[in-house]
């Protein structure tokens, strides 16, 4: 499994019963509202949603996961790199980091 | 076909780059007459009747709200007021792009991008314009839009031209203008506004222009940053507090960090804001607070685990982790992640369901794994950044 900041991608052998997400522009798996930065791929990667809410990635070319400023058409490299590109599995489950919040669990926000 | 830059233009590239950087980062008051003259030229270039109403406001936020009202007034008054930014800027830019692209070899195109545009875009667009856009968008949405819905306009901030913050791409074509490519003259109006004003909103029948900022403070990486006030401030008092490029609430900059307890910091929901609070407090004071109030539980390659005992409540357990990718100076950002006090693996699903796994031994790797819904024994990274 690989980790880039608050995103973990766990390799899987197959993707069970998930529906391919229709995306325009980059496939973004995590986005920071405050920073405007996100983790994902410019193109060539599909995101799939399972009925239980789990998100999977189908990355047939094994493209690296990148982090940068998210625009409508690309994830642009930041002038000061915060997370370097990282090799990613061809099939994987996306896990976003969470935190404890007094009896509750919330997604890590940035 | 331009297969190489004329010698004098090639020699000027650093100067042209610096000129447009200065445009993008200027804090001089707007030159209103020159900016309005530029606006009229842009309307002429786009073959749109010149605006009759010219309104000046002091900041992009004021402009975003003001343009919505001017558009509504113009609609009621004359049936005009629609956004014409696409015609005035985007279409003209695209036409010029097509014409210049046909006349310039790839090598020259990329040379100008590398030597002029990339740095201006990185410093002006990425570091300033996008921060302003995000802040204006957030505030207009939060303070105005939820009340008036789409009565004023479909898009919260309308369709602005970025004025001085367009300096990246305008600088690019300025090079080719100096090479004598005639199509670039179609950008003269936009360049005049950029050299003399901030954001502006071209409307049918009217225009809203805004001033440039009063102050820009940046760190050595050219990111918005100020430890003693707004990093970007306009003359009406609107602006942005920023910590090394990160927009933060005012209190993170204005409050006395000595007053922050570990709980205060851990209660901040945004982990980047939390990091900024710790950095503002400073490594020594943060370490002193940890020594005084928290128990160091265990440390390993994954991080350092701490526990803060609280009377009558579950302990506050958190793990300090270093970012895997170092900063340019070799240091690493440090994040504080709150965990379940028994390090139970936590998951939150899209439908709001929350699950907790079984308790784990108090180890930092178990704590980090738990934030991804895993046990420490399952958290087997092959790579991280």
């Amino acid at each position: 499994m690989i980790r880039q900041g608050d995103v973990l991608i766990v390799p899987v052998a197959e993707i069970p019963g998930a529906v391919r997400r229709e995306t325009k522009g980059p496939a973004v798996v995590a986005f920071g509202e405050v920073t405007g930065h996100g983790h994902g791929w410019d193109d060539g990667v599909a995101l799939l949603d399972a009925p239980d809410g789990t998100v999977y990635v189908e990355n047939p070319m094994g493209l690296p996961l990148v982090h940068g400023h998210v625009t409508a058409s690309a994830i642009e490299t930041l002038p000061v790199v915060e997370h370097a590109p990282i090799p990613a599995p061809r099939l994987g489950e996306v896990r976003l980091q969470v935190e404890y919040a007094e009896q509750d669990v919330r997604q890590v926000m940035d | 076909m331009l297969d190489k830059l004329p010698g004098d233009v090639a020699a000027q590239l650093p100067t042209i780059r610096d000129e447009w950087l200065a445009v993008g980062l200027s804090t001089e008051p707007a030159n209103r007459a020159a900016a309005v003259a530029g606006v009229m030229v842009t309307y002429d270039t786009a073959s749109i009747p010149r605006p009759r109403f010219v309104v000046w406001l002091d900041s992009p936020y004021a402009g975003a709200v003001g343009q919505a009202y001017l558009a509504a007034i113009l609609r009621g008054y004359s049936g005009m007021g629609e956004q014409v930014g696409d015609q005035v800027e985007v279409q003209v830019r695209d036409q010029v792009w097509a014409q210049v692209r046909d006349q310039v070899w790839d090598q020259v195109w990329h040379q100008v991008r590398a030597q002029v545009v990339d740095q201006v875009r990185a410093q002006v667009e990425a570091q300033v314009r996008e921060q302003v856009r995000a802040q204006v968008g957030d505030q207009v949405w939060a303070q105005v839009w939820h009340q008036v819905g789409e009565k004023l306009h479909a898009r919260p901030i309308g369709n602005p031209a970025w004025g001085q913050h367009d300096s990246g791409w305008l600088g690019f074509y300025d090079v080719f203008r100096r090479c004598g490519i005639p199509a670039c003259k179609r950008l003269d109006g936009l360049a005049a506004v950029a050299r003399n004003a901030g954001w502006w909103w071209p409307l049918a029948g009217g225009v809203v222009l805004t001033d440039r900022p009063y102050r820009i403070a940046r760190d050595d990486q050219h990111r918005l940053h100020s430890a003693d006030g707004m990093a970007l401030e306009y003359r009406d008092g609107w602006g942005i507090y920023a910590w090394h490029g990160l927009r933060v609430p005012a209190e993170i900059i204005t409050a006395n960090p000595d007053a922050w307890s570990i709980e205060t910091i851990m209660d901040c929901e945004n982990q980047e804001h939390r990091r900024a609070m710790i950095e503002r407090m400073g490594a020594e004071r943060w370490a002193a607070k940890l020594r005084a109030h928290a128990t160091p539980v265990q440390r390993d390659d994954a991080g350092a685990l701490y526990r803060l005992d609280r009377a009558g409540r579950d302990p506050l357990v958190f793990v300090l982790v270093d970012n895997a990718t170092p900063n340019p100076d070799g240091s690493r950002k440090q994040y504080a992640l709150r965990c379940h006090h028994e390090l139970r693996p936590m998951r939150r699903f899209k439908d709001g369901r929350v699950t907790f796994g079984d308790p784990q031994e108090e180890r930092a790797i178990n704590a980090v794994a738990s934030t991804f819904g895993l046990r420490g024994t399952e958290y087997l990274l092959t790579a991280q950044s």
Side-chain angles (χ1 to χ4, degrees):
Chain A
M1 63 186 70
I2 63 151
R3 175 182 171 189
Q4 187 179 64
D6 53 7
V7 174
L8 186 78
I9 300 188
V10 183
V12 295
E14 59 180 22
I15 296 177
V19 178
R20 187 178 295 257
R21 194 185 298 177
E22 294 297 327
T23 50
K24 286 181 182 172
V28 177
V29 293
F31 179 73
E33 292 290 341
V34 169
T35 58
H37 304 163
H39 304 262
W41 294 265
D42 281 351
D43 53 27
V45 171
L47 302 182
L48 298 95
D49 292 296
D52 69 356
T54 307
V55 177
Y56 293 92
V57 294
E58 196 175 71
N59 176 20
M61 291 181 282
L63 298 171
L65 177 66
V66 299
H67 175 259
H69 180 71
V70 176
T71 71
S73 58
I75 300 175
E76 297 178 347
T77 305
L78 300 173
V80 179
V81 174
E82 294 175 6
H83 301 288
I86 188 169
R90 290 171 194 269
L91 285 181
E93 176 189 336
V94 179
R95 294 243 181 153
L96 302 182
Q97 194 164 37
V98 295
E99 282 193 287
Y100 186 62
E102 305 294 355
Q103 312 301 324
D104 197 4
V105 173
R106 65 177 176 232
Q107 188 180 323
V108 166
M109 288 189 286
D110 58 19
Chain B
M1 198 73 179
L2 192 67
D3 59 1
K4 68 183 271 207
L5 291 174
D8 58 330
V9 176
Q12 286 173 28
L13 288 182
T15 311
I16 298 170
R17 177 199 64 205
D18 290 348
E19 272 180 35
W20 285 98
L21 262 178
V23 165
L25 300 171
S26 172
T27 53
E28 293 294 312
N31 180 334
R32 293 187 172 199
V36 171
V39 166
M40 299 306 166
V41 174
T42 66
Y43 277 69
D44 293 347
T45 305
S47 303
I48 295 172
R50 291 183 169 195
R52 289 180 58 196
F53 296 94
V54 176
V55 175
W56 277 94
L57 294 165
D58 287 337
S59 68
Y61 174 67
V65 176
Q67 61 85 24
Y69 283 99
L70 180 61
I73 292 165
L74 286 169
R75 261 199 300 280
Y77 169 75
S78 61
M80 301 174 84
E82 65 266 29
Q83 304 277 336
V84 294
D86 283 349
Q87 294 98 305
V88 165
E89 181 168 67
V90 180
Q91 289 177 15
V92 173
R93 183 186 64 199
D94 291 350
Q95 290 159 8
V96 171
W97 180 88
Q99 291 173 34
V100 175
R101 194 73 190 88
D102 274 352
Q103 295 177 54
V104 175
W105 277 36
D106 281 358
Q107 190 182 345
V108 178
W109 185 269
H110 295 307
Q111 178 190 1
V112 174
R113 279 195 71 126
Q115 293 185 30
V116 176
V117 183
D118 286 353
Q119 205 179 118
V120 181
R121 287 194 64 197
Q123 291 193 37
V124 176
E125 290 181 24
Q127 303 291 358
V128 182
R129 186 188 78 188
E130 290 307 307
Q131 304 271 21
V132 176
R133 177 151 75 170
Q135 179 96 350
V136 171
D138 288 353
Q139 284 188 305
V140 171
W141 184 263
Q143 295 171 14
V144 182
W145 230 249
H146 73 282
Q147 294 172 24
V148 297
E150 295 193 350
K151 288 178 195 156
L152 297 177
H153 192 269
R155 276 183 282 194
I157 66 166
N159 192 7
W162 311 112
Q164 69 175 146
H165 294 161
D166 272 331
S167 60
W169 68 271
L170 285 168
F172 179 73
Y173 291 108
D174 187 27
V175 174
F176 296 113
R177 190 185 192 286
R178 296 182 199 214
C179 296
I181 295 180
C184 298
K185 290 189 174 176
R186 289 171 57 78
L187 300 174
D188 284 358
L190 289 164
V193 186
R195 286 191 170 102
N196 293 289
W199 290 18
W200 60 290
W201 279 262
L203 305 172
V207 61
V208 172
L209 293 119
T210 63
D211 202 353
R212 293 183 282 215
Y214 168 73
R215 157 185 153 105
I216 297 181
R218 304 186 300 159
D219 66 10
D220 58 4
Q221 304 290 327
H222 310 302
R223 298 173 295 196
L224 286 182
H225 173 75
S226 172
D228 61 3
M230 288 181 173
L232 184 71
E233 185 173 6
Y234 285 79
R235 288 175 177 78
D236 59 1
W238 184 86
I240 292 175
Y241 291 91
W243 183 263
H244 296 294
L246 175 75
R247 286 187 298 129
V248 294
E251 53 269 25
I252 290 183
I253 302 299
T254 57
N256 176 5
D258 285 332
W260 295 335
S261 66
I262 293 174
E263 275 192 281
T264 308
I265 291 172
M266 294 308 298
D267 280 347
C268 174
E269 291 193 1
N270 187 291
Q271 74 159 342
E272 292 289 349
H273 290 166
R274 200 181 301 155
R275 173 181 63 80
M277 292 171 84
I278 294 171
E279 289 180 8
R280 176 145 189 271
M281 179 179 278
E284 285 184 17
R285 281 191 287 184
W286 172 238
K289 261 196 211 280
L290 288 173
R291 275 195 304 275
H293 303 290
T295 306
V297 178
Q298 192 266 344
R299 179 187 291 268
D300 57 33
D301 290 345
L305 184 64
Y306 285 87
R307 187 181 68 243
L308 185 74
D309 292 311
R310 303 181 295 183
R313 300 167 70 188
D314 292 330
L316 192 158
V317 174
F318 57 97
V319 59
L320 301 180
V321 297
D322 289 339
N323 190 17
T325 300
N327 297 322
D329 65 2
S331 64
R332 290 177 192 269
K333 288 179 182 169
Q334 190 178 66
Y335 294 96
L337 293 163
R338 179 118 184 244
C339 308
H340 186 273
H341 49 277
E342 295 175 319
L343 305 189
R344 293 172 182 264
M346 307 172 286
R347 292 205 72 183
R348 181 177 188 87
F349 294 88
K350 265 189 169 175
D351 60 7
R353 268 184 313 126
V354 166
T355 61
F356 292 99
D358 292 332
Q360 300 187 85
E361 186 186 348
E362 286 184 317
R363 301 183 64 82
I365 190 164
N366 294 344
V368 174
S370 76
T371 63
F372 287 108
L374 298 173
R375 304 186 69 75
T377 49
E378 299 169 318
Y379 185 68
L380 304 168
L381 293 184
T382 52
Q384 67 173 323
S385 69

